[in-house]
């Protein structure tokens, strides 16, 4: 029996997309599919979106959701996109990222744009396993340990580091300052990597200093005690009184 035309079409789609079957869903209003540099691109820029849309083809390699009204990214929002390489979430009002926002993208995602949002902090676990280049500029960062740890795990997009500035939620003395310059001078993680090491070093120094003080105090006391001993006059042996009987005996002998 010959295969049906529909079955043949499905096989051709699988072969042509490297084993990924494009999603048959209709694109949301304001969004469209395009081929850019030979890669499937899904654009939803300035589409008035307030949530991550459905209907994104699962063979999408570049996804643009910039210039919308997205306030959060829920867990697993993009896990149905197994070949996604570039994700643009810039110029939204993002204030919250789920710790599993980029679940399923660890092996493919290479570029992530989170610039020009309302992010004060992000969960570190959202970036675990990702080998990405990220743009974090133009956000009101709290400039705390979480951000310092994040920057140790990701690569910043070229030329975007100076745009990471401390926002109103940061310590008063940090507001308005570039975070990278601060992070190079101050350890913000008292119990994090680096901070724990420095705390251990401080504790070791304090312990050694305490022992040194005890040794010096003991030596000072020992020297003082010996000096006092040398200053005391020597005690003469007591003179025993001579009894009268002994004197008579001595006279008789003489």
């Amino acid at each position: 029996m010959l295969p049906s035309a529909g079955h043949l079409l499905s096989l051709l789609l699988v072969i042509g997309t490297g084993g990924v079957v494009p999603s048959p869903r209709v694109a949301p209003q304001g969004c469209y599919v395009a081929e850019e540099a030979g890669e499937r691109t899904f654009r939803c820029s300035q589409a008035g979106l307030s949530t991550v849309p459905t209907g994104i083809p699962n063979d999408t390699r570049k996804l643009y959701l910039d210039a919308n009204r997205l306030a959060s990214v829920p867990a697993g929002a993009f896990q149905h996109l197994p070949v996604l390489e570039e994700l643009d979430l810039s110029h939204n009002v993002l204030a919250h990222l789920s710790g599993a926002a980029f679940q399923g993208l660890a092996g493919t995602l290479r570029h992530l744009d989170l610039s020009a949002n309302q992010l004060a902090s992000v969960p570190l676990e959202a970036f675990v396993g990702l080998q990405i280049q990220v743009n974090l500029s133009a956000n009101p960062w709290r400039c705390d340990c979480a951000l310092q740890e994040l920057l140790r795990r990701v690569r910043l997009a070229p030329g975007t580091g100076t745009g990471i500035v401390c926002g109103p939620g940061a310590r008063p003395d940090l507001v308005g300052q570039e975070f990278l310059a601060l992070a190079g001078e101050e350890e913000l993680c008292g119990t994090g990597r680096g901070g724990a090491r420095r705390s251990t070093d401080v504790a070791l120094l304090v312990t050694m200093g305490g022992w040194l003080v005890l040794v010096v105090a003991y030596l000072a006391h020992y020297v003082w005690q010996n000096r006092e001993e040398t200053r005391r006059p020597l005690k003469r042996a007591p003179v025993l009184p001579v009894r009268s009987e002994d004197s008579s005996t001595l006279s008789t002998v003489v």
Side-chain angles (χ1 to χ4, degrees):
M1 180 182 295
L2 293 175
S4 64
H7 183 65
L8 287 174
L9 181 58
S10 298
L11 288 175
L12 290 174
L13 287 174
V14 171
I15 295 173
T17 58
V20 178
V21 180
S23 172
R25 297 175 182 175
V26 178
Q29 186 176 0
C31 305
Y32 62 93
V33 177
E35 291 287 336
E36 297 182 2
E39 295 184 333
R40 179 62 64 90
T41 301
F42 193 76
R43 286 191 173 272
C44 280
S45 304
Q46 298 181 332
L49 301 174
S50 57
T51 59
V52 176
T54 59
I56 302 173
N58 57 10
D59 62 339
T60 298
R61 293 187 179 274
K62 295 182 178 181
L63 176 58
Y64 294 89
L65 299 176
D66 55 302
N68 284 288
R69 299 194 301 271
L70 301 179
S72 64
V73 178
F78 309 103
Q79 62 183 358
H80 64 290
L81 304 175
V83 294
L84 187 64
E85 298 176 356
E86 184 174 333
L87 176 59
D88 189 347
L89 294 169
S90 65
H91 295 88
N92 279 281
V93 290
L94 289 176
H96 173 72
L97 290 181
S98 166
F102 309 116
Q103 184 178 8
L105 303 180
T108 60
L109 192 64
R110 295 292 177 265
H111 301 279
L112 175 63
D113 194 342
L114 293 171
S115 64
N117 279 286
Q118 296 299 315
L119 294 170
S121 65
V122 292
L124 187 61
E125 57 268 25
F127 298 86
V128 172
L130 296 180
Q131 302 295 322
I132 59 172
Q133 192 174 80
V134 61
N135 184 351
L136 299 172
S137 62
N139 281 283
W141 293 107
R142 191 174 297 130
C143 292
D144 54 7
C145 174
L147 182 58
Q148 193 168 45
E149 284 293 311
L150 174 63
L151 294 181
R152 287 169 172 158
R153 295 173 180 262
V154 300
R155 291 180 297 115
L156 294 178
T160 65
T162 56
I164 302 177
V165 177
C166 302
R171 278 174 16 201
D173 59 314
L174 302 183
V175 175
Q177 297 192 46
E178 294 181 12
F179 183 73
L180 290 184
L182 295 171
E185 300 176 356
E186 181 177 356
E187 175 60 58
L188 299 175
C189 297
T191 58
R193 192 184 71 178
R197 182 167 56 251
R198 189 176 68 171
S199 297
T200 302
D201 293 342
V202 171
L204 182 60
L205 288 174
V206 170
T207 302
M208 292 177 64
W211 279 107
L212 182 60
V213 169
L214 289 176
V215 170
V216 171
Y218 174 78
L219 290 175
H221 176 72
Y222 179 79
V223 171
W224 176 82
Q225 189 176 29
N226 284 348
R227 184 176 298 177
E228 288 296 315
E229 290 290 338
T230 58
R231 288 179 178 177
R232 292 175 183 172
L234 294 176
K235 294 182 179 179
R236 296 182 179 181
V239 179
L240 296 175
V242 179
R243 294 181 297 178
S244 59
E245 294 178 358
D246 294 338
S247 300
S248 301
T249 305
L250 181 60
S251 299
T252 304
V253 173
V254 174

